[in-house]
Every structure is written in structure tokens, then in C-alpha cells.
Amino acid sequence: MTFDTDTLVITPAPSTGSHPSANNASSSQPSVGSDPQTRVALAMLDACQDGLLMVGTSGQLLHTNTAADRLLGESMRAYVGRSILAWIHDRGWTHVTEITGLTPPLLRDLLSRAVCDQGQSSRRVFEQQTGDSPRIVEERGTPVQASDGSALGWMLTWRDITEERQQARAREEVSHMMIHDLRSPLTAIIGSLTMLHDLMIEEAVDIAPYDGVLRIAHNSSAGMLNLIESLLDIARIDQDGMALSRTTQALPPVIDDACTSILSLAYRAHIQMAIEVPEDLPPVSIDADKIRRVLVNLLDNGLRHTPVDGLVTVRASASPGSSEIVVCVADTGPGVPVAQRERIFDKFVQLQSRAAGGGKGFGLGLTFCKLAVETHGGRIWIDEAPGGGAAFCFSLPAVTEP
């Protein structure tokens, strides 16, 4: 947000012997003058639905608007032109913290930003303790500059997001219940398909004509269950963090198990798979089920973005000079643009390019991978594969002592 130098004309601060009261607040407001652009600018600030509070480079309050008065439950217009510390002195820290969330360290940071004109904007969310029901307020700080680039101060924008948070929480609770309700019937479907398959074999029924249909139904149900488990895990992590059942073990068997579970998908997609994992890797302390799901998600992602007759390779090695093991799942697909490599791990983010192997996923598998790996104390990233595709790599701390 940039203002011209004439946008706000501040009257001199009153002498130390006289404190303006609410009755003469207008005398300490910025003088409007005859410039119509100045009148329009001030009218726009006052009509804004978000609360606005502008602090000058000397720590003085330069401007406040009606929405800010409404959010605070009191008017600060009597303090315009004076140091914001005067308001804190009159009202007390307890009251100020209750209605603004500001503590002495936060206020020092705010004033330093106003004085030093730090270019980066700030954002925080605080709970406003007013009345019986607290409000959730989002605060954004923006540097304000004159047309010549000199610093004028810092603008705080306050927005009441209580209703938004309540609606979001309600949506999450409904989604969570739906996900829980979906998991039980899907588990029953998978169990029934397995039982049907076994009964057909037991009754000596020729299973060949039905094997393909049963396999598709089983794999599709298993894929849906994996998606639901990922949704539940992500919800748990957002709320309480991921719980791990760690054991110290070798990593190659976990990799083999993940590759075996995905092998049928690779076969149907006419994609080759290769495993380049030395057997003498140092042991790792991991939750084997979580890391197996990480590998399955990365392998599934690689298969969906690899064309027919392509190759998906799993490599693992002990990183030289460090106590970590690096695992990479590389494909021969189109790769991931550098600009998208960071945000691809966010929830529900998908690449713009169409997956070579068919439809896209829901953008949750990679989110689970990032959360699971980081909970293990590792990191996850994307490199370019030797053949030009994408290489999804993650690290795990190695166990250096028995």
C-alpha cells in the first residue's frame, strides 16, 4: 500500500501538559485541506470494512478508522498525533493485550518495523478477549511509503475472521465424520471380495473368467481406503501431530514390500520397475507402516506420470559425510517444473500437466509423504531424474549406534 506525501497531513502533537480528550479528538486528526484527492483517500480509509491503524516512523498514531473503533470497542481518535505508548499507558497492558493481542515484545517489533521500514509484510492471528464470546482477528502489517520512497510508517489491517473459522471448523468436523463413515464399509467391501475369491477357489470354481474383475474391484477399493487413511492421518497431524511406532530395522525389506504391493499396477500400465538398493544400508529407526505408505504414494505418483514402456526406479544410498539415508523414486515422465516443486506437497495441489497414466490424484498422497518424513526427522524434495523425469527424494536419519 503506497500513499503520496500529501495523503496524510499530521497536525503537531500536543504539548506534554495537555492531553486531548475524546471531545476534541477531531483537532488531532490529520488535517484534510483543500486537496480533493486527500479527501477521497481519507474517506476511503474510513469507509473500509477492515480496521485500519497507521503508526508513524516515530511511533505516533497517524490514523484510525471507524472499523478499528468497532473492533476495539473504543475509539482511539483522541490519540492520533500522539505516541501509541500514551494509549497503552492510559489503558494498561492487560486491557491492550486482551483487545489487540499485543505484548511488549510484539509492540517492540511493530515499532521497529515502522521506524526501519522493513519491506516484508507481517501477518498474525490473535484471539480478542471481549465480552462473553472471544473473537478471532487476523492482523496484517504493511509498510507505508511516500511517493519518493521514504518511509511514512506501518499500516495494521484488522479483520474479524471468527465466523470464517467457525464455518471452517464445522466443515472439518463434517468431513471427518464422513471419512470415518466411509472407512468401515470400504473395509467390509475389501474383506468380502477377499472372501469371495477364497470361496471360489475352495468350491473349485473356474476363477479365470472372474479374476480380472475381482482384482479391479479389490485394487480400486484398496486405493479408496488408502485415500481415506491419508485424509484421516493428515487431519490427525494438523490437530495433534503424527504418532510413530518406531523400531530399528533394515530399510531394504520395507522398500521391497512397497514395490511388491504396487507391482500389479506397473504391469497393467506396461511400465518397468527397477530397485537399486544395497543390502548393507545402515539400519533406521522408523515406523515401518508409515514409511511403506510414503514409498507406495511416491511409486503410485511415479506410475501415473510415466508413459507406456517407461521406467520407475527406486534407489537408496547412505549419504556420504552424514548420518542419513536418501531414498529416491525416479520416473521417466515429464518432470516437475522448478516453480511447482515446493507447493506440490501442499494439500490438494496438482500439476497442470495431465498425468501420463490416466487421471490425477487428489493431491493428498504427497502431503502425507511430507508430513510423515518430517515427523521422522527427515526431509523431502524433488530433483530432476537422469532421464529427464522427476526424482522424489527423501532422507531418514540412520541409526549410528546399536
Side-chain angles (χ1 to χ4, degrees), residues 67-75 91 99 128 130 135:
D69 296 342
R70 186 169 59 250
L71 270 173
L72 293 173
E74 61 185 73
S75 176
R91 304 297 287 154
I99 64 175
Q128 190 183 62
T130 55
R135 281 192 293 213

Side-chain angles (χ1 to χ4, degrees), residues 108-182:
R108 282 196 298 269
D109 181 64
L110 165 64
L111 295 178
S112 67
R113 287 174 180 271
V115 172
C116 301
D117 184 31
Q118 298 181 11
Q120 293 185 345
S121 300
S122 64
R123 177 185 178 275
R124 71 182 177 104
V125 175
F126 64 91
E127 188 174 273
Q128 190 183 62
Q129 302 292 339
T130 55
D132 297 331
S133 56
R135 281 192 293 213
I136 307 299
V137 180
E138 179 189 53
E139 176 192 279
R140 291 188 179 273
T142 310
V144 181
Q145 297 178 339
S147 58
D148 61 359
S150 60
L152 290 180
W154 197 260
M155 178 71 80
L156 293 181
T157 305
W158 289 333
R159 187 165 66 93
D160 187 349
I161 59 171
T162 307
E163 187 175 351
E164 293 178 18
R165 285 293 180 92
Q166 291 172 346
Q167 292 175 352
R169 191 176 296 114
R171 286 195 299 269
E172 289 175 2
E173 290 175 356
V174 171
S175 298
H176 203 257
M177 287 190 296
M178 290 177 62
I179 292 167
H180 268 290
D181 290 342
L182 283 171

Side-chain angles (χ1 to χ4, degrees), residues 14 18-22 24-25 27-28 78-80 82:
S18 61
H19 287 188
S21 63
N24 62 3
S27 63
S28 60
Y79 294 91
V80 171
R82 298 172 58 195

Side-chain angles (χ1 to χ4, degrees), residues 41-356:
L42 290 175
M44 290 175 63
L45 290 175
D46 199 57
C48 183
Q49 295 301 307
D50 295 335
L52 299 176
L53 222 66
M54 183 174 171
V55 181
T57 54
S58 299
Q60 75 275 28
L61 180 64
L62 297 184
H63 187 73
T64 182
N65 70 345
T66 304
D69 296 342
R70 186 169 59 250
L71 270 173
L72 293 173
E74 61 185 73
S75 176
M76 290 186 63
R77 297 172 189 260
Y79 294 91
V80 171
R82 298 172 58 195
S83 170
I84 195 170
L85 296 176
W87 174 63
I88 296 172
H89 178 270
D90 291 346
R91 304 297 287 154
W93 267 114
T94 301
H95 176 75
V96 171
T97 303
E98 285 179 351
I99 64 175
T100 68
L102 285 173
T103 59
L106 288 175
L107 180 64
R108 282 196 298 269
D109 181 64
L110 165 64
L111 295 178
S112 67
R113 287 174 180 271
V115 172
C116 301
D117 184 31
Q118 298 181 11
Q120 293 185 345
S121 300
S122 64
R123 177 185 178 275
R124 71 182 177 104
V125 175
F126 64 91
E127 188 174 273
Q128 190 183 62
Q129 302 292 339
T130 55
D132 297 331
S133 56
R135 281 192 293 213
I136 307 299
V137 180
E138 179 189 53
E139 176 192 279
R140 291 188 179 273
T142 310
V144 181
Q145 297 178 339
S147 58
D148 61 359
S150 60
L152 290 180
W154 197 260
M155 178 71 80
L156 293 181
T157 305
W158 289 333
R159 187 165 66 93
D160 187 349
I161 59 171
T162 307
E163 187 175 351
E164 293 178 18
R165 285 293 180 92
Q166 291 172 346
Q167 292 175 352
R169 191 176 296 114
R171 286 195 299 269
E172 289 175 2
E173 290 175 356
V174 171
S175 298
H176 203 257
M177 287 190 296
M178 290 177 62
I179 292 167
H180 268 290
D181 290 342
L182 283 171
R183 183 168 60 172
S184 296
L186 269 175
T187 304
I189 290 171
I190 293 173
S192 300
L193 290 170
T194 303
M195 186 180 299
L196 177 62
H197 184 272
D198 294 342
L199 285 173
M200 292 175 71
I201 294 177
E202 186 177 325
E203 297 295 329
V205 177
D206 183 11
I207 199 173
Y210 314 105
D211 187 61
V213 176
L214 288 174
R215 191 179 299 275
I216 291 173
H218 185 278
N219 289 340
S220 299
S221 301
M224 285 292 293
L225 185 60
N226 184 56
L227 170 64
I228 288 170
E229 294 290 351
S230 295
L231 281 167
L232 286 172
D233 282 332
I234 291 170
R236 290 192 199 103
I237 295 167
D238 288 341
Q239 185 173 359
D240 303 315
M242 179 181 288
L244 299 179
S245 299
R246 289 177 181 262
T247 56
T248 299
Q249 61 184 79
L251 189 58
V254 180
I255 296 176
D256 289 340
D257 188 25
C259 292
T260 300
S261 67
I262 209 85
L263 195 59
S264 60
L265 295 178
Y267 177 78
R268 289 201 303 273
H270 302 285
I271 296 172
Q272 297 182 4
M273 290 185 62
I275 303 176
E276 301 176 4
V277 179
E279 293 295 330
D280 59 347
L281 284 175
V284 288
S285 176
I286 59 171
D287 184 323
D289 180 63
K290 298 291 193 300
I291 296 303
R292 177 187 173 278
R293 286 179 59 193
V294 168
L295 287 162
V296 168
N297 286 342
L298 294 180
L299 287 164
D300 177 70
N301 181 76
L303 290 174
R304 283 189 289 106
H305 291 88
T306 300
V308 175
D309 297 327
L311 175 66
V312 174
T313 306
V314 183
R315 298 184 178 91
S317 61
S319 182
S322 66
S323 58
E324 65 177 12
I325 293 176
V326 176
V327 182
C328 288
V329 177
D331 60 54
T332 54
V336 180
V338 177
Q340 299 184 18
R341 290 181 183 178
E342 286 294 330
R343 55 187 299 271
I344 197 174
F345 294 103
D346 295 340
K347 282 185 285 189
F348 305 112
V349 171
Q350 301 171 344
L351 289 177
Q352 296 298 319
S353 58
R354 181 171 177 79

